[in-house]
Amino acid sequence: MKRALPVLVLTVAGLIPVWRYAPSQEASSSPDETVAAPTPSASAPPSSSSSSSPSAPSASAVVAGSTVATEKGDVQVEVTFEGERITSVRMLRQPNHPQTTNAVPVLIEETLEAQSADIDSVTGATVTSEGYKESLQAALDARGA
């Protein structure tokens, strides 16, 4: 009987966030933002020899990752490369959620520092972080990085 009261209190405390949860209203992106293809300048001509001057490092490309459906909403990133280096990341789609809004700058900063999708999730935005990393990895794979 001594355990019943704490169990009841903790159960109610655990259910309060579930009761207060409000699903995000998906903000759809315009169709032209979802087009994802490397720019022609990103690919080196196959006939170039290995001893030629490295033209690939100065080439830039913009590649969009796949759209990842999460329980909070769709996540999609667009990555800009200068040569093999990631120079910027932009969110094309993201859940309309306060934790996501706070997490996106942190995720982008970590990506630019790590130069890969091997980054930590942001506490409080784990679902969005996982979707971000999956879309980012898809963009990196599409680029061949």
Side-chain angles (χ1 to χ4, degrees):
M1 192 65 186
K2 290 182 180 182
R3 293 184 188 180
L5 187 58
V7 169
L8 180 63
V9 169
L10 291 174
T11 301
V12 170
L15 288 174
I16 289 174
V18 175
W19 289 327
R20 296 197 56 182
Y21 175 75
S24 62
Q25 302 296 325
E26 289 189 39
S28 62
S29 301
S30 63
D32 62 315
E33 287 184 333
T34 61
V35 176
T39 59
S41 65
S43 59
S47 63
S48 66
S49 65
S50 61
S51 63
S52 67
S53 64
S55 61
S58 63
S60 65
V62 178
V63 181
S66 59
T67 301
V68 178
T70 69
E71 59 191 62
K72 301 286 185 185
D74 290 345
V75 176
Q76 184 181 24
V77 300
E78 178 183 78
V79 183
T80 303
F81 295 92
E82 290 292 332
E84 296 298 317
R85 187 158 178 77
I86 299 171
T87 56
S88 71
V89 179
R90 185 171 72 109
M91 295 293 287
L92 296 178
R93 293 183 179 184
Q94 71 184 46
N96 185 15
H97 203 268
Q99 284 89 353
T100 298
T101 304
N102 295 332
V104 168
V106 175
L107 292 168
I108 291 172
E109 182 180 333
E110 286 188 19
T111 301
L112 295 175
E113 287 177 16
Q115 291 293 304
S116 73
D118 187 23
I119 59 174
D120 292 331
S121 295
V122 175
T123 303
T126 305
V127 172
T128 300
S129 297
E130 295 302 317
Y132 172 90
K133 290 191 286 188
E134 187 176 333
S135 183
L136 177 62
Q137 186 62 55
L140 295 173
D141 292 344
R143 173 71 165 101

